[in-house]
Coordinates of all heavy atoms in Angstrom, one line a residue:
M154 N -18.1 -6.9 34.0 CA -18.9 -5.7 34.0 C -19.1 -5.3 35.5 O -19.5 -6.2 36.3 CB -20.2 -5.9 33.3 CG -21.1 -4.8 33.2 SD -22.7 -5.0 32.5 CE -22.2 -5.3 30.8
D155 N -18.8 -4.1 35.8 CA -19.0 -3.7 37.2 C -20.5 -3.2 37.5 O -21.3 -3.2 36.6 CB -18.0 -2.6 37.6 CG -18.1 -1.4 36.6 OD1 -19.2 -1.1 36.2 OD2 -17.0 -0.8 36.4
Y156 N -20.7 -2.8 38.7 CA -22.1 -2.5 39.1 C -22.6 -1.2 38.3 O -23.7 -1.1 37.8 CB -22.3 -2.3 40.5 CG -22.1 -3.6 41.3 CD1 -21.1 -3.7 42.2 CD2 -23.0 -4.6 41.1 CE1 -20.9 -4.9 42.9 CE2 -22.8 -5.8 41.7 CZ -21.8 -6.0 42.7 OH -21.6 -7.1 43.4
Q157 N -21.7 -0.2 38.2 CA -22.1 1.0 37.4 C -22.3 0.7 35.9 O -23.1 1.2 35.3 CB -21.1 2.1 37.6 CG -21.1 2.8 39.0 CD -20.3 2.1 40.0 OE1 -19.6 1.0 39.7 NE2 -20.3 2.5 41.2
G158 N -21.5 -0.3 35.4 CA -21.6 -0.7 34.1 C -23.0 -1.4 33.8 O -23.6 -1.3 32.8
Q159 N -23.4 -2.2 34.8 CA -24.7 -2.9 34.7 C -25.8 -1.9 34.7 O -26.8 -2.0 33.9 CB -24.9 -3.9 35.9 CG -24.0 -5.1 35.8 CD -24.2 -5.9 37.0 OE1 -24.9 -5.6 38.0 NE2 -23.5 -7.1 37.0
R160 N -25.7 -0.9 35.5 CA -26.7 0.2 35.6 C -26.8 0.9 34.2 O -27.8 1.2 33.7 CB -26.4 1.2 36.7 CG -27.5 2.2 36.9 CD -27.2 3.1 38.1 NE -28.2 4.1 38.2 CZ -28.1 5.3 37.7 NH1 -27.0 5.6 37.0 NH2 -29.0 6.2 37.9
L161 N -25.6 1.3 33.7 CA -25.5 2.0 32.4 C -26.1 1.1 31.3 O -26.9 1.6 30.5 CB -24.1 2.3 32.1 CG -23.8 3.0 30.8 CD1 -24.5 4.4 30.8 CD2 -22.3 3.2 30.5
A162 N -25.8 -0.2 31.3 CA -26.3 -1.1 30.2 C -27.9 -1.1 30.4 O -28.5 -1.1 29.3 CB -25.7 -2.4 30.3
E163 N -28.4 -1.2 31.6 CA -29.8 -1.2 31.7 C -30.5 0.1 31.3 O -31.6 0.1 30.6 CB -30.1 -1.4 33.3 CG -31.6 -1.7 33.6 CD -32.0 -3.0 33.2 OE1 -31.2 -4.0 33.1 OE2 -33.3 -3.2 33.2
L164 N -29.9 1.2 31.6 CA -30.4 2.5 31.2 C -30.4 2.6 29.6 O -31.4 3.1 29.0 CB -29.6 3.7 31.8 CG -29.9 4.0 33.3 CD1 -28.9 5.0 33.8 CD2 -31.4 4.4 33.4
I165 N -29.3 2.2 29.0 CA -29.2 2.3 27.6 C -30.2 1.4 26.9 O -30.9 1.8 26.0 CB -27.8 1.9 27.1 CG1 -26.8 2.9 27.5 CG2 -27.8 1.7 25.6 CD1 -25.3 2.5 27.3
F166 N -30.4 0.2 27.5 CA -31.4 -0.7 27.0 C -32.8 -0.2 27.0 O -33.5 -0.1 26.0 CB -31.4 -2.1 27.8 CG -32.4 -3.0 27.5 CD1 -32.4 -3.8 26.3 CD2 -33.5 -3.2 28.3 CE1 -33.4 -4.7 26.0 CE2 -34.5 -4.1 28.0 CZ -34.5 -4.8 26.9
H167 N -33.2 0.4 28.2 CA -34.5 1.0 28.3 C -34.8 2.2 27.4 O -35.8 2.3 26.8 CB -34.8 1.3 29.8 CG -35.1 0.1 30.7 ND1 -36.3 -0.6 30.5 CD2 -34.4 -0.5 31.6 CE1 -36.3 -1.6 31.4 NE2 -35.2 -1.5 32.1
W168 N -33.8 3.1 27.4 CA -34.0 4.2 26.6 C -34.1 3.9 25.0 O -34.9 4.5 24.3 CB -32.9 5.3 26.8 CG -33.1 6.1 28.0 CD1 -32.5 5.9 29.2 CD2 -34.0 7.2 28.1 NE1 -33.0 6.8 30.1 CE2 -33.9 7.6 29.5 CE3 -34.9 7.8 27.3 CZ2 -34.7 8.7 29.9 CZ3 -35.7 8.8 27.7 CH2 -35.5 9.2 29.0
I169 N -33.3 3.0 24.6 CA -33.4 2.6 23.2 C -34.7 1.9 22.9 O -35.4 2.3 21.9 CB -32.2 1.7 22.8 CG1 -30.9 2.5 22.8 CG2 -32.4 1.0 21.4 CD1 -29.6 1.6 22.6
I170 N -35.1 1.0 23.7 CA -36.3 0.2 23.5 C -37.5 1.2 23.5 O -38.4 1.2 22.6 CB -36.5 -0.9 24.5 CG1 -35.5 -2.0 24.3 CG2 -37.9 -1.5 24.4 CD1 -35.5 -2.7 23.0
C171 N -37.6 2.0 24.5 CA -38.7 3.0 24.6 C -38.8 4.0 23.5 O -39.8 4.3 22.9 CB -38.7 3.7 26.0 SG -39.0 2.6 27.4
S172 N -37.6 4.6 23.2 CA -37.6 5.6 22.1 C -37.9 5.0 20.8 O -38.7 5.6 20.0 CB -36.3 6.3 22.1 OG -35.2 5.4 21.8
F173 N -37.4 3.9 20.4 CA -37.7 3.2 19.1 C -39.1 2.8 19.1 O -39.8 2.9 18.1 CB -36.7 2.0 18.8 CG -35.5 2.4 18.2 CD1 -34.5 3.0 18.9 CD2 -35.3 2.1 16.9 CE1 -33.3 3.4 18.3 CE2 -34.1 2.5 16.2 CZ -33.1 3.1 16.9
G174 N -39.6 2.3 20.2 CA -41.0 1.9 20.2 C -42.0 3.1 20.1 O -43.0 3.0 19.4
A175 N -41.6 4.2 20.8 CA -42.5 5.4 20.7 C -42.5 6.0 19.3 O -43.5 6.3 18.7 CB -42.1 6.4 21.7
V176 N -41.3 6.1 18.7 CA -41.2 6.6 17.3 C -42.0 5.7 16.4 O -42.7 6.1 15.5 CB -39.7 6.9 17.0 CG1 -39.6 7.2 15.5 CG2 -39.1 8.0 17.8
G177 N -41.8 4.4 16.5 CA -42.4 3.4 15.6 C -43.9 3.5 15.8 O -44.6 3.4 14.8
W178 N -44.4 3.7 17.1 CA -45.8 3.8 17.3 C -46.4 5.0 16.6 O -47.5 4.9 16.0 CB -46.1 3.8 18.7 CG -47.6 3.7 19.1 CD1 -48.4 2.6 19.1 CD2 -48.4 4.8 19.3 NE1 -49.7 3.0 19.4 CE2 -49.7 4.4 19.5 CE3 -48.2 6.2 19.4 CZ2 -50.8 5.2 19.8 CZ3 -49.3 7.0 19.6 CH2 -50.6 6.6 19.8
V179 N -45.8 6.1 16.8 CA -46.2 7.4 16.2 C -46.3 7.3 14.6 O -47.2 7.6 14.0 CB -45.4 8.6 16.6 CG1 -45.7 9.8 15.8 CG2 -45.6 8.8 18.1
Y180 N -45.2 6.8 14.1 CA -45.1 6.6 12.6 C -46.1 5.6 12.1 O -46.8 5.8 11.1 CB -43.7 6.2 12.2 CG -43.4 6.2 10.7 CD1 -43.4 7.4 10.0 CD2 -43.3 5.1 10.0 CE1 -43.2 7.5 8.7 CE2 -43.2 5.1 8.6 CZ -43.1 6.2 8.0 OH -42.9 6.3 6.6
G181 N -46.3 4.5 12.8 CA -47.3 3.5 12.5 C -48.6 4.1 12.6 O -49.5 3.7 11.8
Y182 N -48.9 4.9 13.6 CA -50.2 5.5 13.7 C -50.5 6.4 12.6 O -51.6 6.5 12.0 CB -50.3 6.3 15.1 CG -51.6 6.9 15.3 CD1 -52.7 6.1 15.8 CD2 -51.8 8.3 15.2 CE1 -53.9 6.7 16.1 CE2 -53.1 8.8 15.4 CZ -54.1 8.1 15.9 OH -55.3 8.6 16.1
I183 N -49.5 7.2 12.2 CA -49.7 8.1 11.1 C -49.9 7.4 9.8 O -50.8 7.7 9.0 CB -48.5 9.1 11.0 CG1 -48.5 10.0 12.1 CG2 -48.5 9.8 9.6 CD1 -47.2 10.8 12.2
Q184 N -49.2 6.3 9.6 CA -49.3 5.5 8.3 C -50.4 4.5 8.4 O -50.7 3.8 7.4 CB -48.0 4.7 8.1 CG -46.8 5.6 7.8 CD -47.0 6.4 6.5 OE1 -47.5 5.9 5.5 NE2 -46.6 7.6 6.4
Q185 N -51.0 4.3 9.6 CA -52.1 3.3 9.8 C -51.7 1.9 9.5 O -52.4 1.1 8.8 CB -53.4 3.7 9.0 CG -54.0 5.0 9.4 CD -54.6 4.9 10.8 OE1 -55.3 3.9 11.1 NE2 -54.3 5.8 11.7
D186 N -50.4 1.6 10.0 CA -49.8 0.3 9.7 C -49.0 -0.1 10.9 O -48.1 0.5 11.3 CB -49.0 0.3 8.5 CG -48.6 -1.1 8.0 OD1 -49.0 -2.0 8.6 OD2 -47.8 -1.2 7.0
F187 N -49.5 -1.2 11.5 CA -48.8 -1.7 12.8 C -47.5 -2.3 12.5 O -46.6 -2.3 13.4 CB -49.7 -2.8 13.4 CG -49.1 -3.4 14.6 CD1 -49.1 -2.6 15.8 CD2 -48.6 -4.7 14.7 CE1 -48.6 -3.1 17.0 CE2 -48.0 -5.2 15.8 CZ -48.0 -4.4 17.0
T188 N -47.1 -2.7 11.3 CA -45.9 -3.3 11.0 C -44.7 -2.3 11.2 O -43.6 -2.7 11.6 CB -45.8 -3.9 9.6 OG1 -46.1 -2.9 8.6 CG2 -46.8 -5.1 9.5
F189 N -45.0 -1.0 11.0 CA -44.0 0.0 11.2 C -43.6 0.1 12.7 O -42.4 0.2 13.0 CB -44.4 1.4 10.8 CG -44.5 1.6 9.3 CD1 -45.7 1.8 8.7 CD2 -43.4 1.5 8.5 CE1 -45.8 1.9 7.3 CE2 -43.4 1.7 7.1 CZ -44.7 1.9 6.6
C190 N -44.6 -0.1 13.6 CA -44.3 -0.1 15.0 C -43.5 -1.3 15.4 O -42.5 -1.2 16.1 CB -45.6 -0.1 15.7 SG -45.5 -0.2 17.5
F191 N -43.8 -2.4 14.8 CA -43.1 -3.7 15.1 C -41.7 -3.6 14.6 O -40.7 -4.0 15.3 CB -43.8 -4.9 14.5 CG -43.1 -6.2 14.7 CD1 -43.1 -6.7 16.0 CD2 -42.4 -6.8 13.7 CE1 -42.4 -7.9 16.2 CE2 -41.8 -8.0 13.9 CZ -41.8 -8.5 15.1
Y192 N -41.5 -3.1 13.4 CA -40.1 -3.0 12.8 C -39.3 -2.1 13.6 O -38.1 -2.3 13.7 CB -40.2 -2.7 11.3 CG -40.7 -3.8 10.4 CD1 -41.5 -3.6 9.4 CD2 -40.3 -5.1 10.7 CE1 -42.0 -4.6 8.6 CE2 -40.8 -6.2 9.9 CZ -41.7 -5.9 8.8 OH -42.1 -6.9 8.1
A193 N -39.8 -0.9 14.0 CA -39.0 0.0 14.7 C -38.6 -0.6 16.1 O -37.5 -0.4 16.5 CB -39.9 1.3 15.0
W194 N -39.5 -1.3 16.7 CA -39.2 -1.9 18.0 C -38.2 -3.0 17.8 O -37.2 -3.1 18.6 CB -40.5 -2.5 18.6 CG -40.2 -3.3 19.8 CD1 -40.0 -2.9 21.1 CD2 -40.1 -4.8 19.9 NE1 -39.8 -3.9 22.0 CE2 -39.8 -5.1 21.3 CE3 -40.2 -5.8 18.9 CZ2 -39.6 -6.4 21.6 CZ3 -40.0 -7.1 19.4 CH2 -39.7 -7.4 20.7
L195 N -38.3 -3.7 16.7 CA -37.3 -4.8 16.4 C -35.9 -4.2 16.1 O -34.9 -4.8 16.6 CB -37.8 -5.6 15.2 CG -36.9 -6.9 14.8 CD1 -36.9 -7.9 16.0 CD2 -37.4 -7.5 13.6
A196 N -35.9 -3.1 15.4 CA -34.6 -2.4 15.2 C -34.0 -1.9 16.5 O -32.8 -2.0 16.8 CB -34.8 -1.2 14.3
G197 N -34.8 -1.4 17.4 CA -34.3 -1.0 18.7 C -33.8 -2.2 19.5 O -32.8 -2.0 20.3
V198 N -34.5 -3.3 19.5 CA -34.0 -4.5 20.2 C -32.6 -5.0 19.7 O -31.7 -5.3 20.4 CB -35.0 -5.7 20.1 CG1 -34.4 -7.0 20.5 CG2 -36.3 -5.4 20.9
V199 N -32.4 -5.0 18.4 CA -31.2 -5.4 17.7 C -30.1 -4.4 18.2 O -29.0 -4.8 18.6 CB -31.3 -5.4 16.2 CG1 -29.9 -5.6 15.6 CG2 -32.2 -6.6 15.8
I200 N -30.3 -3.1 18.1 CA -29.3 -2.1 18.5 C -29.0 -2.3 20.0 O -27.8 -2.2 20.4 CB -29.8 -0.7 18.1 CG1 -29.8 -0.5 16.6 CG2 -28.9 0.3 18.8 CD1 -30.5 0.7 16.1
S201 N -30.0 -2.4 20.8 CA -29.7 -2.5 22.2 C -29.0 -3.8 22.6 O -28.2 -3.8 23.5 CB -31.0 -2.4 23.0 OG -31.9 -3.5 22.8
V202 N -29.2 -4.9 21.9 CA -28.5 -6.2 22.1 C -27.0 -6.0 21.8 O -26.1 -6.4 22.5 CB -29.1 -7.3 21.4 CG1 -28.2 -8.5 21.3 CG2 -30.4 -7.8 22.0
V203 N -26.8 -5.3 20.6 CA -25.4 -5.1 20.2 C -24.7 -4.2 21.2 O -23.5 -4.4 21.5 CB -25.4 -4.5 18.8 CG1 -24.0 -4.0 18.4 CG2 -25.8 -5.5 17.8
L204 N -25.4 -3.2 21.8 CA -24.7 -2.3 22.7 C -24.7 -2.8 24.1 O -23.7 -2.5 24.9 CB -25.5 -0.9 22.7 CG -25.3 -0.1 21.5 CD1 -26.2 1.2 21.7 CD2 -23.9 0.3 21.3
C205 N -25.6 -3.6 24.6 CA -25.7 -4.0 26.0 C -25.3 -5.4 26.3 O -24.9 -5.7 27.5 CB -27.2 -3.8 26.4 SG -27.8 -2.1 26.3
V206 N -25.3 -6.3 25.4 CA -25.0 -7.7 25.8 C -23.5 -7.9 25.9 O -23.0 -8.5 26.9 CB -25.6 -8.7 24.8 CG1 -25.1 -10.1 25.1 CG2 -27.1 -8.7 25.0
P207 N -22.7 -7.5 24.9 CA -21.2 -7.7 25.0 C -20.6 -6.9 26.2 O -21.2 -5.8 26.5 CB -20.6 -7.3 23.7 CG -21.7 -7.2 22.8 CD -23.0 -6.9 23.6
D208 N -19.6 -7.4 26.8 CA -19.0 -6.7 27.9 C -18.0 -5.6 27.3 O -16.8 -5.9 27.3 CB -18.3 -7.6 28.8 CG -17.8 -7.1 30.1 OD1 -18.3 -5.9 30.4 OD2 -17.0 -7.6 30.8
W209 N -18.5 -4.5 26.8 CA -17.7 -3.5 26.3 C -16.8 -2.8 27.4 O -17.2 -2.8 28.5 CB -18.5 -2.4 25.6 CG -19.3 -2.9 24.4 CD1 -20.7 -3.2 24.5 CD2 -18.9 -3.3 23.1 NE1 -21.0 -3.7 23.2 CE2 -20.0 -3.7 22.4 CE3 -17.6 -3.2 22.5 CZ2 -19.9 -4.1 21.1 CZ3 -17.5 -3.6 21.2 CH2 -18.6 -4.1 20.5
P210 N -15.6 -2.3 27.0 CA -14.7 -1.7 28.0 C -15.3 -0.6 28.8 O -15.0 -0.3 29.9 CB -13.5 -1.2 27.2 CG -13.6 -2.1 25.9 CD -15.0 -2.4 25.7
F211 N -16.2 0.2 28.2 CA -16.8 1.4 28.9 C -17.8 0.9 30.0 O -18.1 1.8 30.8 CB -17.5 2.3 27.9 CG -18.7 1.8 27.2 CD1 -20.0 1.9 27.7 CD2 -18.4 1.3 25.9 CE1 -21.0 1.4 27.0 CE2 -19.6 0.8 25.2 CZ -20.8 0.9 25.7
Y212 N -18.1 -0.4 30.1 CA -18.9 -0.9 31.2 C -17.9 -1.3 32.4 O -18.5 -1.6 33.5 CB -19.7 -2.1 30.8 CG -20.8 -1.8 29.9 CD1 -21.0 -2.6 28.8 CD2 -21.6 -0.8 30.1 CE1 -22.0 -2.4 27.8 CE2 -22.7 -0.5 29.2 CZ -22.9 -1.3 28.1 OH -23.9 -1.1 27.2
N213 N -16.6 -1.2 32.2 CA -15.7 -1.6 33.3 C -14.8 -0.4 33.8 O -13.7 -0.7 34.1 CB -14.8 -2.7 32.7 CG -15.5 -4.0 32.4 OD1 -16.3 -4.4 33.2 ND2 -15.2 -4.6 31.3
R214 N -15.4 0.7 33.8 CA -14.7 1.9 34.3 C -14.4 1.9 35.8 O -13.6 2.6 36.3 CB -15.4 3.1 33.8 CG -15.2 3.4 32.4 CD -15.6 4.8 32.1 NE -16.6 4.7 31.0 CZ -17.5 5.6 30.6 NH1 -17.6 6.7 31.4 NH2 -18.2 5.5 29.6
H215 N -15.3 1.2 36.6 CA -15.2 1.2 38.0 C -15.0 -0.2 38.5 O -15.9 -0.8 39.0 CB -16.5 1.8 38.6 CG -16.8 3.1 38.1 ND1 -16.2 4.3 38.4 CD2 -17.8 3.5 37.1 CE1 -16.7 5.3 37.8 NE2 -17.6 4.9 37.0
P216 N -13.8 -0.8 38.4 CA -13.6 -2.2 38.8 C -13.8 -2.4 40.3 O -13.6 -1.5 41.1 CB -12.1 -2.4 38.4 CG -11.5 -1.1 38.3 CD -12.5 -0.2 38.0
I217 N -14.3 -3.6 40.6 CA -14.6 -3.9 42.0 C -13.3 -4.3 42.6 O -12.5 -5.1 42.1 CB -15.6 -5.1 42.0 CG1 -16.9 -4.6 41.3 CG2 -15.8 -5.5 43.4 CD1 -17.8 -5.8 41.1
K218 N -13.0 -3.8 43.8 CA -11.8 -4.1 44.6 C -12.2 -5.2 45.6 O -12.9 -5.0 46.5 CB -11.3 -2.9 45.3 CG -10.7 -1.9 44.4 CD -10.3 -0.6 45.2 CE -9.7 0.4 44.3 NZ -10.4 0.9 43.1
W219 N -11.7 -6.4 45.3 CA -12.0 -7.6 46.1 C -11.1 -7.6 47.4 O -10.0 -7.1 47.4 CB -11.8 -8.9 45.4 CG -12.7 -9.0 44.2 CD1 -12.5 -8.6 42.9 CD2 -14.1 -9.4 44.2 NE1 -13.6 -8.9 42.2 CE2 -14.6 -9.4 42.9 CE3 -14.9 -9.9 45.2 CZ2 -15.9 -9.7 42.6 CZ3 -16.2 -10.3 44.9 CH2 -16.7 -10.2 43.6
L220 N -11.6 -8.2 48.5 CA -10.8 -8.3 49.7 C -9.7 -9.4 49.4 O -9.8 -10.3 48.6 CB -11.7 -8.8 50.8 CG -12.7 -7.8 51.3 CD1 -13.6 -8.4 52.3 CD2 -12.1 -6.5 51.8
E221 N -8.6 -9.2 50.1 CA -7.5 -10.2 50.0 C -8.0 -11.5 50.7 O -8.8 -11.5 51.6 CB -6.3 -9.7 50.8 CG -5.7 -8.4 50.2 CD -5.1 -8.7 48.9 OE1 -4.5 -9.8 48.6 OE2 -5.2 -7.8 47.9
S222 N -7.5 -12.6 50.2 CA -7.9 -13.9 50.8 C -7.3 -14.1 52.1 O -6.2 -13.6 52.5 CB -7.4 -15.0 49.9 OG -6.0 -15.0 49.8
V223 N -8.0 -14.7 53.0 CA -7.6 -14.9 54.4 C -6.9 -16.3 54.4 O -7.3 -17.3 53.9 CB -8.9 -15.0 55.3 CG1 -8.5 -15.3 56.7 CG2 -9.7 -13.7 55.2
P224 N -5.7 -16.2 55.0 CA -4.9 -17.5 55.1 C -5.6 -18.5 56.0 O -6.3 -18.1 57.0 CB -3.6 -17.1 55.6 CG -3.8 -15.8 56.3 CD -4.9 -15.1 55.6
D225 N -5.4 -19.8 55.7 CA -6.0 -20.8 56.5 C -5.2 -20.9 57.8 O -4.0 -21.1 57.9 CB -5.9 -22.2 55.8 CG -6.9 -23.2 56.3 OD1 -7.7 -22.9 57.2 OD2 -6.8 -24.3 55.9
R226 N -5.9 -20.9 59.0 CA -5.3 -20.8 60.3 C -5.2 -22.2 61.0 O -4.6 -22.3 62.0 CB -6.0 -19.9 61.2 CG -6.0 -18.5 60.7 CD -6.7 -17.6 61.7 NE -7.0 -16.3 61.1 CZ -7.7 -15.3 61.6 NH1 -8.3 -15.5 62.8 NH2 -7.9 -14.2 61.0
R227 N -5.8 -23.2 60.4 CA -5.7 -24.5 61.0 C -4.3 -25.1 60.8 O -3.6 -24.9 59.8 CB -6.7 -25.5 60.3 CG -8.2 -25.1 60.5 CD -9.1 -26.0 59.9 NE -8.9 -25.9 58.4 CZ -9.5 -26.6 57.5 NH1 -10.3 -27.6 57.9 NH2 -9.3 -26.4 56.2
P228 N -3.9 -25.9 61.8 CA -2.6 -26.6 61.7 C -2.6 -27.6 60.6 O -3.7 -28.1 60.2 CB -2.4 -27.3 63.0 CG -3.5 -26.8 63.9 CD -4.5 -26.1 63.1
K229 N -1.5 -27.9 60.0 CA -1.5 -28.7 58.8 C -1.9 -30.2 59.1 O -2.5 -30.8 58.3 CB -0.1 -28.7 58.2 CG 0.3 -27.4 57.6 CD 1.5 -27.5 56.7 CE 1.7 -26.1 56.1 NZ 2.8 -26.0 55.2
Q230 N -1.6 -30.6 60.3 CA -2.1 -32.0 60.7 C -3.6 -32.1 60.7 O -4.2 -33.1 60.2 CB -1.6 -32.3 62.1 CG -0.1 -32.7 62.1 CD 0.3 -33.0 63.6 OE1 -0.3 -32.4 64.5 NE2 1.3 -33.8 63.7
Q231 N -4.3 -31.1 61.2 CA -5.7 -31.1 61.2 C -6.3 -31.1 59.8 O -7.3 -31.7 59.5 CB -6.2 -29.9 62.0 CG -7.7 -29.9 62.3 CD -8.1 -28.7 63.2 OE1 -7.4 -27.8 63.3 NE2 -9.3 -28.8 63.6
Q232 N -5.7 -30.4 58.9 CA -6.1 -30.3 57.5 C -6.0 -31.7 56.9 O -6.9 -32.1 56.2 CB -5.3 -29.3 56.7 CG -5.6 -27.9 57.1 CD -4.7 -26.9 56.3 OE1 -3.9 -27.3 55.5 NE2 -4.8 -25.7 56.6
G233 N -4.9 -32.3 57.1 CA -4.7 -33.7 56.5 C -5.7 -34.7 57.1 O -6.2 -35.6 56.4
A234 N -6.0 -34.6 58.4 CA -7.0 -35.5 59.0 C -8.4 -35.3 58.4 O -9.1 -36.2 58.2 CB -7.0 -35.3 60.5
K235 N -8.8 -34.0 58.2 CA -10.1 -33.7 57.6 C -10.2 -34.3 56.2 O -11.2 -34.8 55.8 CB -10.3 -32.3 57.6 CG -10.4 -31.7 59.0 CD -11.7 -30.9 59.1 CE -11.7 -30.3 60.6 NZ -13.0 -30.2 61.1
K236 N -9.1 -34.2 55.4 CA -9.1 -34.7 54.1 C -9.3 -36.2 54.1 O -10.0 -36.8 53.3 CB -7.8 -34.4 53.3 CG -7.8 -32.9 52.9 CD -6.5 -32.6 52.2 CE -6.4 -31.1 51.9 NZ -5.1 -30.8 51.3
D237 N -8.6 -36.9 55.0 CA -8.7 -38.4 55.2 C -10.1 -38.8 55.5 O -10.7 -39.7 55.0 CB -7.7 -38.9 56.2 CG -6.3 -38.8 55.7 OD1 -6.0 -38.7 54.5 OD2 -5.4 -38.8 56.6
E238 N -10.8 -38.0 56.5 CA -12.2 -38.3 56.8 C -13.1 -38.1 55.7 O -14.0 -38.9 55.4 CB -12.6 -37.4 58.0 CG -12.0 -37.8 59.4 CD -12.5 -36.8 60.4 OE1 -13.6 -36.2 60.2 OE2 -11.9 -36.7 61.4
A239 N -12.9 -37.1 54.9 CA -13.7 -36.8 53.8 C -13.6 -37.9 52.7 O -14.6 -38.3 52.1 CB -13.4 -35.4 53.1
S240 N -12.4 -38.4 52.5 CA -12.2 -39.4 51.5 C -12.8 -40.8 52.0 O -13.4 -41.5 51.2 CB -10.7 -39.6 51.1 OG -10.0 -40.0 52.3
K241 N -12.7 -41.0 53.3 CA -13.4 -42.2 53.8 C -14.9 -42.2 53.7 O -15.5 -43.1 53.3 CB -13.0 -42.4 55.3 CG -11.6 -42.9 55.5 CD -11.3 -43.0 57.0 CE -9.8 -43.3 57.2 NZ -9.5 -43.4 58.6
N242 N -15.5 -41.0 54.0 CA -16.9 -40.8 53.8 C -17.4 -40.9 52.4 O -18.4 -41.5 52.1 CB -17.3 -39.5 54.4 CG -17.2 -39.4 55.9 OD1 -17.2 -40.5 56.6 ND2 -17.1 -38.2 56.4
N243 N -16.6 -40.5 51.5 CA -17.0 -40.6 50.1 C -16.8 -42.0 49.5 O -17.5 -42.4 48.6 CB -16.1 -39.6 49.2 CG -16.4 -38.2 49.4 OD1 -17.5 -37.9 49.9 ND2 -15.4 -37.3 49.1
A244 N -15.9 -42.8 50.1 CA -15.7 -44.1 49.7 C -16.9 -45.0 50.1 O -17.2 -46.0 49.5 CB -14.4 -44.7 50.2
D245 N -17.6 -44.7 51.2 CA -18.7 -45.5 51.7 C -19.9 -45.3 50.9 O -20.5 -45.3 50.2 CB -19.0 -45.1 53.1 CG -17.9 -45.5 54.1 OD1 -17.1 -46.4 53.8 OD2 -17.8 -44.8 55.2

């Protein structure tokens, strides 16, 4: 998931949770029953988890371009000597 996809997932999550919670609160207020508010919020959580947790392809529309790896500039003898030192230190 790229950065724009993370932002989109966060926006979708917040809008779903807030809208389902608000509708559930209004309906629960009219019916004078708190369980409607809770069930509406729970339905919003389930829908937002299904939409936001998996890495859906529409979250990857702007892939990150990574830098090319930098080649190692040390001479090969120096690399081998460092590996020998590291193995000696680990053996102690």
Side-chain angles (χ1 to χ4, degrees):
M154 183 181 296
D155 57 34
Y156 293 119
Q157 285 86 2
Q159 288 177 359
R160 182 174 180 270
L161 178 63
E163 187 78 17
L164 284 172
I165 290 171
F166 172 76
H167 282 292
W168 278 103
I169 289 174
I170 294 294
C171 290
S172 60
F173 273 75
V176 169
W178 184 84
V179 169
Y180 188 71
Y182 182 78
I183 292 169
Q184 296 293 323
Q185 294 295 311
D186 192 1
F187 180 73
T188 56
F189 288 116
C190 179
F191 178 72
Y192 288 142
W194 174 79
L195 186 63
V198 167
V199 169
I200 291 170
S201 65
V202 164
V203 169
L204 288 176
C205 297
V206 171
D208 191 16
W209 297 105
F211 62 89
Y212 291 134
N213 293 315
R214 285 191 230 159
H215 308 283
I217 300 170
K218 293 177 177 54
W219 296 95
L220 295 176
E221 296 293 324
S222 62
V223 178
D225 197 8
R226 296 184 194 172
R227 294 181 292 176
K229 290 190 179 188
Q230 287 179 326
Q231 190 179 9
Q232 289 176 4
K235 294 233 181 211
K236 287 180 185 176
D237 291 339
E238 284 181 26
S240 63
K241 286 179 186 176
N242 289 339
N243 290 337
D245 294 335

